[in-house]
């Protein structure tokens, strides 16, 4: 699971609503997977990202210094874009958990895949 | 153009010219002629998506298309050099080269006369150019099979799977094995180039491809007895003959003319006789029906479902950095064919999504991957609720990571993030998604149509929540049109129906609804009355 993905995930436990974001990330295994750098893509994604959640997740994974706000003029700042590219796209959480901040419900991440199914849901095979 | 693409194109040109040289040796035709050969190609597309396919052709081949009245077919002219690019088209199912088109064929009165005409027709057509194209095409396929086999063998060794072979559809349905898919998906990631089909010509075994060309040219110098069959599709009310009769008599004449052997199952050349009212098209197939030819390379776009998925996504006109959620479900475990899997090396990726209970098919996974290549500046998300499918994705991901790391090369990031979730309860932020493409549960395999009455509104509601107001859009495929329409009727404040495409694939009467998300923001039910379903 990439951090960009994590940024879009929100808890869907009943009654939780928008308080279910962001999911608290805990990782026991992380891998780095190189991805071709596309500065334009990163620059355009930055406004779509919930920054505070990203910072929190990056800090949990000890990914180094992430500014609390996107740098002024980030579109031209290649170093900054490369850093963000790495954090958003190249860090893969292989094993860990996502926790709903409101209800405490824990969703496991196994082999890179978070399982967000709620156990009381009917799932037909 | 990226370095990789440039290199690919150059290599492709090399191969193409080699092919042409080998053909010239055998036919001793004028050398320069074949290089500038213009042909008319016909392509079958899911009915209803003729226009989107035509758009793709215009965009990628810069040719305009003629859309046939015989639904589900488009025609366009290309030069033979572009043949490889034709195989990269994603909205088409099957390709054929047109031998002759009769816009207004005059059928005689009696069956005997009509069939006699067909017999005589065989000898009157100009076969040589279309056959040249067929030969070039066959050479592509041979290289592709060889490359694929090499990849399968190498991936077999590395991941220690027992199986590299494709399996019967039935087997896969029952077992849902990881093996075939693993090697296929791994092959996928092996390919360095952007375009799936072109990429198979590039690679470590380019040298052996060249050998292959020499071999095949040797074959062609000796008189070859090709095996063939004639497939006739007939539509129209005023015909006094059946498609079988036409195929039989036309085929008989073809056999006499070329001295080929007729073989219904194991053929080299498939001659197509398409009759639609007064329009007749004679063609030679360039692709094979994937369902029937497992063990033979299927070169080009594969299953109907993936072409449909592509068409649906195209309908939504993805823009750069759009967030695309495509939970395109598979309807069964149709094994992935190598050729259908595109290498993705742009930073877009997938989580796989599936509607309740539907078995995830890897083909859907791959169609998303293709989508990612196509719209590389978008971010693709999909999800899956089926643990089998999710497991498979996990296997692939970890095998891939291991493989690429042992190879030590800087390979591309993984485009797959598999998430297990339920479409009616998406763990996504409100208003975060730009495009949704999905296959609504049909209510046949998984319970009752009655269930759809609750399911559909729930899905639509949830999708309206995650979809971005005003600019968001959705392309939804469903067979249960009645239920869908009813569910939609209660949601005019969030969804606006823009367009409906009636789809008919192999008897499946379904519809694709293109919806636009209204500007109205989603009001979270928990803020209303604490419950989650407001209806």
């Amino acid at each position: 699971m990439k951090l960009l993905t994590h940024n879009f995930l929100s808890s869907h436990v009943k009654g939780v609503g928008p308080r279910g974001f962001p999911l608290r990330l805990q990782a026991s295994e992380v891998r780095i997977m190189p991805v071709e750098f596309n500065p334009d893509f990163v620059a355009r994604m930055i406004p779509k990202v919930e920054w505070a959640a990203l910072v929190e997740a990056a800090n949990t994974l000890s990914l180094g210094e992430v500014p609390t706000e996107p740098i002024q003029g980030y579109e031209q700042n290649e170093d900054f874009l490369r850093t963000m590219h790495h954090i958003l796209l190249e860090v893969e959480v292989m094993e860990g958990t996502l926790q709903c901040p409101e209800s405490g419900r824990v969703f496991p991440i196994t082999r890179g895949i978070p399982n967000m199914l709620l156990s009381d849901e009917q799932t037909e095979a | 153009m990226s370095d990789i693409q440039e290199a690919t194109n150059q290599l492709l040109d090399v191969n193409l010219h080699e092919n042409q040289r080998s053909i010239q040796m055998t036919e001793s035709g004028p050398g320069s002629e074949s290089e500038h050969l213009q042909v008319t190609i016909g392509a079958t597309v899911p009915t209803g998506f003729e226009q989107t396919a035509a758009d793709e052709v215009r965009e990628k081949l810069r040719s305009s298309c003629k859309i046939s009245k015989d639904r589900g077919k488009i025609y366009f002219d290309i030069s033979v050099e572009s043949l490889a690019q034709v195989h990269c088209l994603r909205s088409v199912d099957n390709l054929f080269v047109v031998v002759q088109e009769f816009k207004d064929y005059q059928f005689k009165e009696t069956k005997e006369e009509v069939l006699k005409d067909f017999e005589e027709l065989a000898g009157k057509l100009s076969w040589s150019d279309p056959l040249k194209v067929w030969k070039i095409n066959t050479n592509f396929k041979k290289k592709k099979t060889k490359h694929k086999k090499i990849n399968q063998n190498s991936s077999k060794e590395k991941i220690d799977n027992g199986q590299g072979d494709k399996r019967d559809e039935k087997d896969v349905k029952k077992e849902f094995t990881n093996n075939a898919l693993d090697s296929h998906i791994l092959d996928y990631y092996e390919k360095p180039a952007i375009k799936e089909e072109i990429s198979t010509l590039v690679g470590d075994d380019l040298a052996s491809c060249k050998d292959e060309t020499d071999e095949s040219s040797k074959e062609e110098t000796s008189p070859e007895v090709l095996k063939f069959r004639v497939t006739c599709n007939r539509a129209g009310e005023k015909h006094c003959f059946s498609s079988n009769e036409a195929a039989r008599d036309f085929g008989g004449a073809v056999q006499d003319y070329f001295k080929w052997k007729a073989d219904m199952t194991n053929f080299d050349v498939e001659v197509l006789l398409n009759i639609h009212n007064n329009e007749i098209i004679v063609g030679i197939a360039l692709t094979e029906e994937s369902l029937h030819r497992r063990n033979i390379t299927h070169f080009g776009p594969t299953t109907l479902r993936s072409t449909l998925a592509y068409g649906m996504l195209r309908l939504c006109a993805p823009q750069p950095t759009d967030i695309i959620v495509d939970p395109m479900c598979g309807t069964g475990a149709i094994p992935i064919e190598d050729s259908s899997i595109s290498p993705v090396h742009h930073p877009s990726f997938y989580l796989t999504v599936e509607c309740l209970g539907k078995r995830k098919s890897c083909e859907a996974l791959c169609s998303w991957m293709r989508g990612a290549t196509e719209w590389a500046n978008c971010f693709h998300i999909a999800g899956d609720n089926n643990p089998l499918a999710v497991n498979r994705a996990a296997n692939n991901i970890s095998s891939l990571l291991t493989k690429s790391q042992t190879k030590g090369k800087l390979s591309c990031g993984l485009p797959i993030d598999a998430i297990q979730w339920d479409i009616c309860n998406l763990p996504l932020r409100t208003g975060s998604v730009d495009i949704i493409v999905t296959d609504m549960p049909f209510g046949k395999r998984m319970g009752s149509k009655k269930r759809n009455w609750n399911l559909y509104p729930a899905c639509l509601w949830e999708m309206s929540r995650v979809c971005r107001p005003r600019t968001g859009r959705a392309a939804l495929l469903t067979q249960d049109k009645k239920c869908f329409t009813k569910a939609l009727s209660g949601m005019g404040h969030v969804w606006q129906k823009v367009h409906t495409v009636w789809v008919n694939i192999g008897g499946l009467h379904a519809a694709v609804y293109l919806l636009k998300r209204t500007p109205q923001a989603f009001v979270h039910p928990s803020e209303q009355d604490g419950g989650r379903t407001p209806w």
Side-chain angles (χ1 to χ4, degrees), chain B residues 99-115:
Chain B
V99 176
Q100 181 106 18
E101 181 195 359
F102 299 92
K103 289 206 172 92
D104 194 16
Y105 189 87
Q106 296 304 317
F107 289 100
K108 300 226 169 86
E109 294 290 325
T110 67
K111 186 198 289 197
E112 290 73 28
E113 288 176 304
V114 171
L115 293 176

Side-chain angles (χ1 to χ4, degrees), chain A residues 1-2 5 7-10 12 31 33-36 38 41 44-45 48 111 113-116 121 124, chain B residues 321 345 347 349 351 357 377 379 390 395 401 411-414 417-418 420 422 425 427-429 434 446 524:
Chain A
M1 188 199 68
K2 295 184 192 335
T5 312
N7 204 265
F8 285 95
L9 291 177
S10 171
H12 52 307
R31 284 206 228 189
M33 189 65 196
V35 174
E36 196 179 317
N38 182 339
F41 179 85
R44 290 200 212 208
M45 270 301 180
K48 294 194 177 186
R111 302 172 74 191
I113 305 169
N115 183 344
M116 308 297 297
E121 299 268 331
E124 294 183 340
Chain B
T321 62
H345 63 277
F349 58 94
L351 323 164
N377 281 327
F379 171 23
V390 170
N395 281 339
L401 277 175
S411 55
C412 310
L414 288 176
D417 249 348
Q420 234 180 321
D422 157 18
N425 211 350
L428 292 169
R429 279 196 266 136
D434 297 290
M446 36 155 290
H524 212 285

Side-chain angles (χ1 to χ4, degrees), chain A residues 39-93:
Chain A
D40 198 42
F41 179 85
V42 181
R44 290 200 212 208
M45 270 301 180
I46 284 172
K48 294 194 177 186
V49 160
E50 287 287 331
W51 200 262
L54 179 64
V55 173
E56 192 185 311
N59 288 338
T60 314
L61 300 183
S62 308
L63 292 179
E65 289 284 312
V66 184
T68 48
E69 292 268 327
I71 294 179
Q72 282 277 6
Y74 64 82
E75 295 96 329
Q76 276 76 44
N77 188 330
E78 192 182 309
D79 286 338
F80 176 75
L81 290 177
R82 277 193 185 271
T83 311
M84 295 324 300
H85 164 84
H86 175 75
I87 291 173
L88 287 168
L89 299 168
E90 294 185 330
V91 177
E92 297 267 1
V93 178

Side-chain angles (χ1 to χ4, degrees), chain B residues 404-504:
Chain B
S404 62
Q405 278 168 4
T406 52
K407 277 206 162 182
K409 62 179 178 186
L410 188 74
S411 55
C412 310
L414 288 176
I416 297 181
D417 249 348
I419 289 195
Q420 234 180 321
W421 75 42
D422 157 18
I423 193 174
C424 295
N425 211 350
L426 294 170
L428 292 169
R429 279 196 266 136
T430 300
S432 56
V433 174
D434 297 290
I435 296 177
I436 299 178
V437 172
T438 182
D439 189 350
M440 305 288 289
F442 288 171
K444 284 185 176 172
R445 238 171 296 269
M446 36 155 290
S448 53
K449 287 240 166 146
K450 196 172 158 193
R451 189 149 186 250
N452 282 357
W453 290 119
N454 287 327
L455 197 62
Y456 276 30
C459 288
L460 279 171
W461 187 250
E462 184 67 347
M463 290 192 280
S464 78
R465 179 185 71 80
V466 303
C467 198
R468 204 180 294 273
R470 200 175 55 82
T471 55
R473 51 255 189 238
L476 309 174
L477 169 73
T478 178
Q479 206 176 10
D480 196 346
K481 301 175 277 279
K482 194 168 161 193
C483 187
F484 186 88
T485 315
K486 180 164 200 298
L488 194 61
S489 66
M491 305 222 178
H493 57 299
V494 286
W495 286 119
Q496 184 195 348
K497 184 161 71 171
V498 168
H499 186 47
T500 310
V501 181
W502 302 106
V503 182
N504 183 348

